[in-house]
Amino acid sequence: MFEYPAEELCRPAGLLSREALRAAAQSGEILQSTALAFDTRRQLHFSLGGLPAVMPYEECALGAEKGEVRDIAILTRVGRPTCFVVQQAGADGAGPVLLSRRAAQRRCRDEYLDRLAPGTIIRCVVTHIEPFGAFCDVGCGISALLPIDCLSVSRIQSPADRVSVGQRLLCAVKSRDEQGRLVLTLRELLGTWSENAARFSPGDTVVGIVRSVEEYGVFIEIAPNLAGLAEAGEGLRPGQAVSVYIKNILPEKMKIKLVIVNRALAAPLRFEPQYFVTEGRLHRWVYSTPGSRKQIETVFA
């Protein structure tokens, strides 16, 4: 199956000649360029190698022709890379080049996104972050939601604790919402408890991030899908970077006992994703160890 890239990763069209643009129109190649203006006729304007180009409103996004897209979603393309197919390049000097983002998105949806089965691993780019999750470009500017509880097994306060705008990710298709839009998940690619714990040994001192402070102790993340418990102490807060001594690792209980060594680390810390699976399709993922009473798993139906 051909994979459609995120909007900012398509081939730049800025230096193509009109002849090359005509060839792109014939082949249907998806290109990109930065939108320069949104005029009173609700058109996006571009400059492609000095050639003027326009994108009529109904061609600016899938659903725009049906009134399903708000103007704000179009005018905020100004100053940002925008993908399209060339509909008409015209003869030299004969009017602007006509572009369509809608056609690119329709192809991406019909030939790629609608064919993805649950569990399929895909590439995407984080476009914006909300308290409940991160929105990702899964191809040609089409968005999918990565919910906060799917970002990792470790508890986080905000999606920004795990990802940032513009970050490229691998995710798995979790499901589809009522409108048929993709819902993504990341945590299944970040390793099981055993896979993460194998990176550490009792006696190690490592950096960690405080994730929650409870009466009975402090949960500290030492990898995106792995946290341990240290004794409660004054002045600790979620998001705080600390160094910890690994006192014990107990696979049968899925527990790691930690001792806080230094709580005065100056620099903020965020763990980047470390992938244990990078391609193919997942059918069932079990995070828990075989002997643990707490079972954490995902079945991709």
Side-chain angles (χ1 to χ4, degrees):
M1 183 190 307
F2 179 77
E3 184 175 301
Y4 284 75
E7 191 148 37
E8 63 182 46
L9 302 179
C10 297
R11 181 188 177 198
L15 299 179
L16 298 183
S17 65
R18 193 181 289 269
E19 181 180 348
L21 290 172
R22 283 198 294 270
Q26 292 177 350
S27 67
E29 181 181 4
I30 296 175
L31 305 170
Q32 75 173 43
S33 184
T34 299
L36 301 177
F38 182 69
D39 66 19
T40 55
R41 297 174 60 189
R42 303 164 81 206
Q43 300 179 121
L44 284 174
H45 288 257
F46 302 79
S47 178
L48 306 181
L51 299 172
V54 297
M55 185 181 294
Y57 184 82
E58 63 274 11
E59 301 298 333
C60 287
L62 200 60
E65 77 284 4
K66 300 178 182 178
E68 299 173 351
V69 178
R70 295 183 299 169
D71 280 6
I72 188 67
I74 306 302
L75 65 88
T76 52
R77 298 309 312 169
V78 174
R80 299 168 62 188
T82 300
C83 72
F84 51 80
V85 293
V86 179
Q87 288 192 313
Q88 182 179 328
D92 290 346
V97 179
L98 295 180
L99 310 176
S100 175
R101 184 171 180 248
R102 176 180 66 157
Q105 291 184 334
R106 184 189 297 115
R107 278 176 47 196
C108 177
R109 184 196 63 188
D110 294 347
E111 299 177 7
Y112 175 50
L113 298 178
D114 284 354
R115 301 182 184 185
L116 294 173
T120 303
I121 298 171
I122 64 172
R123 293 175 175 82
C124 59
V125 175
V126 179
T127 55
H128 64 284
I129 293 173
E130 299 289 347
F132 53 84
F135 285 93
C136 300
D137 182 341
V138 290
C140 296
I142 298 176
S143 288
L145 176 63
L146 175 57
I148 187 171
D149 62 343
C150 293
L151 279 162
S152 65
V153 174
S154 298
R155 183 184 305 177
I156 56 176
Q157 300 292 315
S158 164
D161 293 337
R162 184 68 67 227
V163 298
S164 59
V165 172
Q167 185 174 3
R168 300 182 188 184
L169 296 175
L170 292 177
C171 289
V173 176
K174 182 183 181 184
S175 59
R176 296 180 186 273
D177 65 14
E178 293 179 354
Q179 286 75 42
R181 297 171 297 195
L182 294 181
V183 178
L184 305 176
T185 183
L186 174 63
R187 67 178 198 163
E188 290 81 2
L189 309 186
L190 302 180
T192 65
W193 191 95
S194 295
E195 287 171 331
N196 280 278
R199 299 166 51 200
F200 304 95
S201 299
D204 290 348
T205 298
V206 299
V207 293
I209 305 171
V210 175
R211 287 307 181 200
S212 70
V213 180
E214 312 294 342
E215 291 183 0
Y216 54 85
V218 181
F219 285 98
I220 299 173
E221 176 184 283
I222 58 175
N225 262 7
L226 189 68
L229 186 66
E231 291 185 1
E234 295 290 333
L236 293 171
R237 65 188 186 281
Q240 181 178 349
V242 296
S243 63
V244 293
Y245 172 81
I246 299 176
K247 184 177 179 181
N248 211 343
I249 298 176
L250 306 171
E252 68 280 2
K253 296 182 179 180
M254 262 196 331
K255 291 183 177 180
I256 297 179
K257 295 183 179 180
L258 304 173
V259 177
I260 297 174
V261 176
N262 186 355
R263 63 179 66 190
L265 301 186
L269 179 66
R270 192 185 73 196
F271 292 124
E272 296 300 321
Q274 178 173 341
Y275 300 104
F276 287 80
V277 186
T278 59
E279 60 184 1
R281 181 186 173 195
L282 299 173
H283 296 274
R284 180 171 178 260
W285 177 77
V286 180
Y287 176 79
S288 306
T289 58
S292 173
R293 290 186 297 177
K294 184 178 181 180
Q295 290 298 304
I296 300 173
E297 69 174 319
T298 304
V299 177
F300 295 93

